[in-house]
Amino acid sequence: MEKEKLNPDKITEQPSHFDHLERMSVLELLQHINEEDACVANVVKQAIPQINALVEAIEPRMRRGGRLFYIGAGTSGRLGVLDASELPTTFGVSETCVIGVIAGGDQALRHAVEKAEDVSEQGWRDLQAYHPTADDTILGITASGSTPYVVGAVALAKQNGLLTGCITSNPRTSLAKAVDYPIETIVGPEFVTGSSRMKSGTALKMVLNMISTTLMIRLGRVQGNRMVNMQLTNAKLVDRGTRMLQESLGLSYDEARQRLMEAGSVKKALENSQRG
């Protein structure tokens, strides 16, 4: 039977390339999901010019103290909150440097909040708690590119002089038209039709990693290839920092660890060594 033809602008809602999933073996399911995932990195590669333009626009604003906001709903919102939450520990930046905002608030991180994404004015209202300024950037993230909560937030942010960007998995969306710097990762139909937590979510996670990591490197939070500003929040990170100092300064493990704990970070320990 011929598959239903849907709106070509809603690729994320088009039927999967695979059918009768319930008849497949575990091995077949895993292999086919992997086949679909294999295309994602190349799609992201094609979007690098768009990603580059956005990052180059964000960097000078962050150097002036501007913040980066991710705003999304559902899977996209959760991935934004995840990426933002990992940066303070990894790079030693303030928790207000990159902020994830999700429709429905923190409750939506674990549970679906009914109709939270359907109010177009609510996203901008939620951002007011952070007192946004013209140096801030709002990055709308939604696979569909049409989520009212996100589209409304970036449109009002742009009207108020903020830099705006987006990441979406559909072409020519209302969200992309509303922002300064759109990023489109067109990964095609999902393995389970409409389940954008799959390929679309993977592409989004990759792009968020690229944006935030590149910004942190450009802002001096990495030295060589090391996370010299990481917070020493657990034994693993203390051990990693100790070994960094061992390698850089030729110290014994115990001496390196002592210097690390006294300084509070690898970077400060290295700076102290240079002054000494």
Side-chain angles (χ1 to χ4, degrees), residues 191-225:
F191 181 69
V192 175
T193 299
S195 182
S196 55
R197 59 179 284 274
M198 302 188 77
K199 289 190 297 181
S200 294
T202 300
L204 171 59
K205 181 67 168 66
M206 293 174 71
V207 175
L208 291 177
N209 281 348
M210 293 168 75
I211 291 171
S212 59
T213 303
T214 299
L215 284 168
M216 293 299 104
I217 294 170
R218 295 288 297 174
L219 294 173
R221 311 309 297 182
V222 171
Q223 185 172 316
N225 58 15

Side-chain angles (χ1 to χ4, degrees), residues 71 119-130 132 149 153 156:
I71 186 162
V119 181
S120 61
E121 299 85 7
Q122 188 59 47
W124 181 244
R125 289 194 200 114
D126 289 347
L127 287 167
Q128 297 315 296
Y130 302 97
Y149 179 87
L156 287 168

